[in-house]
Amino acid sequence: AAFAMAEGLLAAEDRAGAIERFSVLAESQDANAAALSRFREADVRFLFDDKSAALSLLDGIAGAGDVDPIFRDFALITAAQHRLDGGDVPAALDSLEGRAEPGSAMHYSERETFALGKLEGGALPEAAELLRQLQADTTTPDDMRRRAGELLDAIGMDNDASEPFPTSNEAAP
């Protein structure tokens, strides 16, 4: 009921009230339920351009040892994606470095986001290698393997090319 009340405040365009309600709700719940309330509070903060506070909430979830790993990983990836969207490639990559542990429910998403960060940061050969690894790994979900192949095609680094294909303005080797 309290979560619905917070959603109702948001529907009534009472942003401050909704944020406060989600925050209070998080404080009164166990770790996983609190994480869900914090996720929603972060969503509201992103909607109203309070990116710093939203990222802080996500970072808090990602670093909370008492929260289930799936929630921590989801918070980590979501924060990294928002950082990439905001152009903060180094912070996004730093947050993901070494976190894509095999067996994690979000392992492939972490690897894909890391590859996208490398791509956005201009490290095409590194991004291509990560994408090739995703594409070659038969345990990678099919949609993600397909996306990895499409990205490799789009950047002109499909197969084993170590450099992108020349653009229309460049001479072919």
Side-chain angles (χ1 to χ4, degrees), residues 87-157:
D88 194 354
V89 174
L93 292 175
D94 286 348
S95 72
L96 293 168
E97 187 76 47
R99 292 288 301 259
E101 297 180 26
S104 159
M106 303 298 274
H107 172 71
Y108 299 104
S109 295
E110 289 169 348
R111 288 175 57 198
E112 181 183 47
T113 304
F114 193 74
L116 292 172
K118 289 289 188 179
L119 182 62
E120 191 166 324
L124 274 95
E126 292 176 46
E129 181 56 31
L130 292 165
L131 291 168
R132 282 189 204 100
Q133 289 171 9
L134 279 171
Q135 191 178 37
D137 184 344
T138 57
T139 61
T140 300
D142 291 339
D143 288 346
M144 197 171 290
R145 289 176 70 198
R146 188 171 28 261
R147 268 195 314 272
E150 290 171 0
L151 282 167
L152 286 166
D153 286 344
I155 63 173
M157 295 185 74

